[in-house]
Amino acid sequence: MKEIVCKLLVIGAGPGGYICAIRAGQLGVDTVIVEKTKAGGTCLNVGCIPSKALIHAAEEFDRLRHTAGLNALGITVETPRLDLAQTVRWKDGIVGRLNSGVLGLLRKAKVKIVHGAARFRDGKTVEVETETGTQLIRAETVVIATGSEPVELPALPFGGAVLSSTEALSLPEVPKSLAVVGGGYIGLELGTAFAKLGARVTVVEAMAQILPQYDGELVKPVAKRLAELGVRVLTGAKAKGYSGEALAVEIAGKEERIAADKVLVTVGRRPRTEGWGLEELDLDRAGRFIRIDEHCRTSMRGVYAIGDVTGEPMLAHRAMAQGEMVAEIVAGRKRVWDKRAIPAVCFTDPEIVTAGLSPDEARAQGYEVRVGLFPFNANGRAMTTQSEDGFVRAVARADTNLVLGLQAVGAGVSELSSAFSLALEMGARLEDIAGTIHAHPTRSEGLQEAALKALGHALHI
Ligand code: FAD
């Protein structure tokens, strides 16, 4: 059996693992990374990137199909046609470019890449089944970055017409009817895209509201747009099974059958902690996830865990930030997880972006708050881009004006996420945002106006 001995072994080359390995390599740490499928993990191959590619294609198609907006600008177009197989090829091309990019960056940082599935022998040794035989890797320090996978419902096992997000991203043609079980961000992003591509979409959500992690004010513009797109939304509804091209749903004690060529199940993701020897290590757990401290250390000395395998929020940028921090710690630097904000974006139509606390969350933590809300229908840029729905909201402590949270819903607001996070990380007060010159005409002026509104003297409303 071939054997490698190294300082750092990273298991999983998703955003958490590959960033950790690149940074460790840059700092001169002798690093090996093991990946059983493709570099880039869920995010690059079957998550963030391909879903945003599909969403973009769907937006373009929808705009050309529903021409009222274009006609108002004096533009007329011929009837557009869609070749979804070509859309998928285009999306795969982007994924392929990014895959090669990640591998190139790992090589540039002098990281050794081992392709195959890792299996723990003990806390510091793994076996990897590679194409050329079994490889043994012994390391001083191990980072578990094995990510997460879609949760399967017993009543709706994956296969045939029942899809996870992974299969939904590579369909050869648009289903005539699609039932989306689970109205969280993944289900709604993909459900909206398929509605725009021409599918008749029904969303089935067990909770009383779609996107239950957000307050109703933020969700309202999304619900309105779904209705415009003809998406039927069933809340308080439970999917019971699929047969005869129909999804059985229980709603208010009654059973309804919803015609659906395909069923997309997006009811959450679970950490990849089973089936590769991790159980035998007996690491402390936090529910289903691996328990970590503020340095991403597990309960076993020299074993770290980062990314989705460690819990919520399961987001690529959190995994990357943890990976970068752990690499620096392994290289001997003093680092600790002291982030004030992990921004979150929901790429629905319109988009939602949040960082820090909502008004309700801030009140629940005992703060007396000032809240300022600026609607995009009073913003010049929103008018000139024909997308006036939504708003920016600022939440601050009433006594000191320290900003506690920032939220927005509207077209393209994902790009406000960096301003939101920076404000929170820098400990901004409402006056800091209000006194910063924001370029005109931009949607970001909504942020300045929301801060001004919270201070009691908005200028444009
Ligand atoms: P992963 O990306 O899951 O990577 C883990 C890697 O480990 C995988 O490549 C896997 O093959 C490998 N692995 C597992 N076990 C082994 C083993 N035993 N041996 C070797 N290798 C192994 N997040 C965002 O921030 N923004 C978004 O817009 C966004 N959109 C998403 C859309 C969809 C449809 C989905 C499904 C997810 C989305 N996410 C998004 C979430 C994001 O993809 C994850 O949070 C992120 O990928 C987590 O990174 P990770 O490094 O922890 O794990």
Side-chain angles (χ1 to χ4, degrees):
M1 195 184 294
K2 287 181 285 178
E3 190 173 326
I4 303 175
V5 178
C6 60
K7 162 101 175 152
L8 175 65
L9 167 65
V10 181
I11 306 172
Y18 83 71
I19 287 290
C20 182
I22 289 172
R23 187 68 189 124
Q26 286 174 344
L27 292 168
V29 178
D30 169 29
T31 305
V32 174
I33 192 164
V34 187
E35 171 53 55
K36 69 173 179 180
T37 57
K38 283 162 92 183
T42 304
C43 175
L44 200 164
N45 296 291
V46 292
C48 327
I49 298 296
S51 62
K52 270 76 243 181
L54 190 73
I55 289 167
H56 173 66
E59 273 167 8
E60 296 290 299
F61 186 58
D62 183 61
R63 198 153 171 75
L64 295 173
R65 244 171 20 121
H66 298 102
T67 51
L70 291 172
N71 294 346
L73 309 183
I75 301 170
T76 47
V77 285
E78 301 290 319
T79 314
R81 279 198 311 274
L82 176 77
D83 174 359
L84 189 63
Q86 168 55 25
T87 311
V88 169
R89 279 196 293 279
W90 165 76
K91 177 265 292 176
D92 289 344
I94 295 170
V95 170
R97 268 169 60 200
L98 289 168
N99 278 141
S100 316
V102 169
L103 290 172
L105 291 168
L106 286 165
R107 283 190 206 105
K108 192 172 149 205
K110 303 205 165 30
V111 174
K112 181 163 177 44
I113 307 159
V114 176
H115 299 279
R119 194 178 166 80
F120 272 115
R121 250 197 193 184
D122 60 51
K124 298 296 167 62
T125 318
V126 301
E127 273 178 27
V128 185
E129 287 309 324
T130 70
E131 276 183 359
T132 54
T134 307
Q135 172 93 62
L136 199 71
I137 307 174
R138 291 186 203 281
E140 224 171 272
T141 305
V142 175
V143 176
I144 299 169
T146 48
S148 63
E149 56 200 6
V151 168
E152 197 171 48
L153 287 175
L156 289 167
F158 293 130
V162 180
L163 317 171
S164 75
S165 56
T166 300
E167 295 82 46
L169 289 166
S170 290
L171 287 178
E173 51 193 41
V174 179
K176 282 200 180 56
S177 48
L178 174 73
V180 179
V181 178
Y185 87 93
I186 294 178
L188 287 190
E189 286 185 7
L190 295 178
T192 305
F194 279 106
K196 289 181 177 178
L197 293 171
R200 204 168 60 253
V201 175
T202 307
V203 175
V204 178
E205 166 58 49
M207 308 284 275
Q209 176 192 293
I210 49 167
L211 299 172
Q213 72 272 39
Y214 298 118
D215 58 78
E217 206 170 27
L218 280 171
V219 176
K220 222 168 160 184
V222 176
K224 180 180 158 215
R225 181 71 179 124
L226 287 170
E228 281 168 15
L229 288 166
V231 175
R232 190 170 170 224
V233 176
L234 303 176
T235 51
K238 226 172 154 194
K240 300 300 245 182
Y242 179 74
S243 62
E245 301 197 349
L247 179 75
V249 174
E250 190 187 299
I251 181 161
K254 292 202 188 101
E255 188 162 306
E256 190 181 324
R257 288 181 67 76
I258 295 160
D261 298 346
K262 302 273 186 217
V263 179
L264 167 61
V265 179
T266 49
V267 291
R269 297 182 61 82
R270 60 153 188 255
R272 275 200 203 94
T273 50
E274 308 291 321
W276 57 285
L278 191 70
E279 307 87 301
E280 284 118 67
L281 292 190
D282 203 24
L283 296 178
D284 281 2
R285 301 290 178 111
R288 294 171 304 162
F289 299 103
I290 299 175
R291 184 186 297 282
I292 50 166
D293 67 7
E294 71 279 18
H295 299 99
C296 290
R297 287 182 300 212
T298 68
S299 54
M300 185 174 274
R301 187 187 288 263
V303 179
Y304 293 76
I306 57 174
D308 283 9
V309 85
T310 64
E312 298 286 354
M314 288 200 248
L315 292 169
H317 42 276
R318 169 175 169 269
M320 291 192 221
Q322 289 178 323
E324 189 260 351
M325 180 189 80
V326 169
E328 296 225 338
I329 292 172
V330 173
R333 298 193 174 184
K334 280 207 162 41
R335 289 286 300 271
V336 65
W337 185 260
D338 61 354
K339 303 286 175 220
R340 291 184 188 200
I342 302 173
V345 174
C346 179
F347 290 84
T348 40
D349 182 5
E351 295 172 349
I352 298 176
V353 55
T354 57
L357 304 178
S358 70
D360 288 345
E361 287 165 344
R363 286 186 196 106
Q365 289 192 18
Y367 292 110
E368 204 179 309
V369 294
R370 276 180 211 287
V371 179
L373 185 149
F374 184 81
F376 282 125
N377 63 13
N379 173 275
R381 180 69 180 160
M383 289 181 203
T384 59
T385 50
Q386 297 177 298
S387 45
E388 298 179 29
D389 267 359
F391 57 83
V392 185
R393 193 172 63 190
V395 185
R397 281 178 67 144
D399 53 353
T400 60
N401 293 339
L402 180 76
V403 178
L404 297 171
L406 295 161
Q407 301 89 34
V409 53
V413 293
S414 51
E415 294 300 334
L416 291 179
S417 70
S418 55
F420 284 10
S421 305
L422 192 61
L424 290 161
E425 287 297 330
M426 303 294 287
R429 283 160 208 273
L430 289 171
E431 293 85 346
D432 296 317
I433 299 177
T436 300
I437 297 180
H438 287 64
H440 178 74
T442 63
R443 286 178 172 274
S444 66
E445 288 171 282
L447 172 58
Q448 186 180 18
E449 288 284 354
L452 283 165
K453 181 82 192 300
L455 290 168
H457 50 93
L459 293 167
H460 286 89
I461 37 168

